[in-house]
Amino acid sequence: MGQLETTSQVARKHDFDVTINASFFAAPATREMAGEKIHYFVGNCGWPQGWHFSNGKLHSKPNTASLRATMIVHRNGKISLADAVQALPADTQFAVSGNAMMLKNGVSTPPVKDEARHPRSAVGLSVDARTLYILAIDGRQESHSRGVTLGELANIFIQVGAHNAINLDGGGSSSLVIKDPGTGAFAIANQPSDLSTLKLPVRFERPVVDVLGIKLE
């Protein structure tokens, strides 16, 4: 369990070069704003619903079989993507889960029911597992982007050169933050789908429970 923060907040706090939201999560407490109950606010308590391993500790296990597609960072720095993970390997350093491994060994493997287009956050690996692909795709914005199905997402990963890929939490949670190496400034690379709770036509990052943060060497 932890407090929700935006992807940008975590990126700045830890000085990550590339940061993307990660786990599906629960945040049951609400706050009322403009007559609506809001679950996603900074400081609210939440917890991941898939595998989450960090700081040498297992913080959560999947509460459903659909959240076992997992990205594992091993102690030697190697990254692996695996489906239907029942137990984390002994050399796990970090792990987060998504809800689908829609690209497996170069083959698109979306669920049978795959009609809905949504904003997506996802990660993929090349066949030699030496290149990590990080994608944030906007959606729910008719004038900008409707999003993609998981099958369409798999095809995008194939086009960029990935061999395996998993879908992380998406929808309003999708947020990709990049640090400019020259200026040190942080910017949101995509356009999140959530609107301001004040009913303004302004898009905001949704606070999330965890992120995938990368420091470049």
Side-chain angles (χ1 to χ4, degrees):
M1 178 179 289
Q3 291 188 331
L4 303 191
E5 296 179 284
T6 66
T7 304
S8 291
Q9 285 177 302
V10 181
R12 290 183 172 89
K13 181 186 297 184
H14 297 281
D15 198 31
F16 291 137
D17 293 293
V18 181
T19 316
I20 193 168
N21 67 292
S23 299
F24 287 83
F25 64 96
T30 61
R31 166 188 291 174
E32 189 162 317
M33 177 66 68
E36 293 186 9
K37 291 184 177 180
I38 307 298
H39 288 270
Y40 309 118
F41 56 88
V42 172
N44 192 14
C45 289
W47 55 87
Q49 294 188 306
W51 289 109
H52 179 104
F53 189 98
S54 63
N55 298 320
K57 185 184 297 185
L58 178 63
H59 295 272
S60 72
K61 297 180 179 180
N63 61 2
T64 173
S66 65
L67 292 172
R68 294 185 181 275
T70 305
M71 174 181 175
I72 300 168
V73 180
H74 303 267
R75 292 198 191 105
N76 63 2
K78 180 181 177 181
I79 297 174
S80 60
L81 301 179
D83 200 10
V85 174
Q86 301 298 315
L88 296 176
D91 69 339
T92 299
Q93 185 175 20
F94 302 102
V96 293
S97 290
N99 70 338
M101 190 167 186
M102 71 291 172
L103 177 63
K104 188 183 301 184
N105 298 324
V107 178
S108 177
T109 56
V112 175
K113 293 183 179 181
D114 183 40
E115 300 175 352
R117 289 187 170 92
H118 294 292
R120 305 284 183 180
S121 293
V123 291
L125 276 178
S126 59
V127 66
D128 62 2
R130 294 176 63 87
T131 302
L132 176 68
Y133 300 92
I134 300 175
L135 294 182
I137 297 178
D138 294 342
R140 300 177 184 170
Q141 303 171 63
E142 288 299 323
S143 62
H144 171 54
S145 174
R146 294 180 296 164
V148 293
T149 66
L150 290 176
E152 290 168 340
L153 182 60
N155 289 334
I156 292 171
F157 271 112
I158 291 172
Q159 290 172 20
V160 300
H163 192 65
N164 292 291
I166 64 173
N167 181 61
L168 301 172
D169 186 20
S173 298
S174 288
S175 183
L176 176 63
V177 176
I178 306 293
K179 177 185 175 183
D180 184 273
T183 65
F186 293 84
I188 305 171
N190 68 311
Q191 183 168 294
S193 63
D194 275 7
L195 289 169
S196 164
T197 56
L198 296 176
K199 307 299 184 182
L200 298 172
V202 179
R203 305 217 169 254
F204 278 86
E205 288 180 88
R206 174 184 293 178
V208 296
V209 76
D210 64 9
V211 304
L212 169 62
I214 296 172
K215 290 189 176 183
L216 303 177
E217 297 181 352

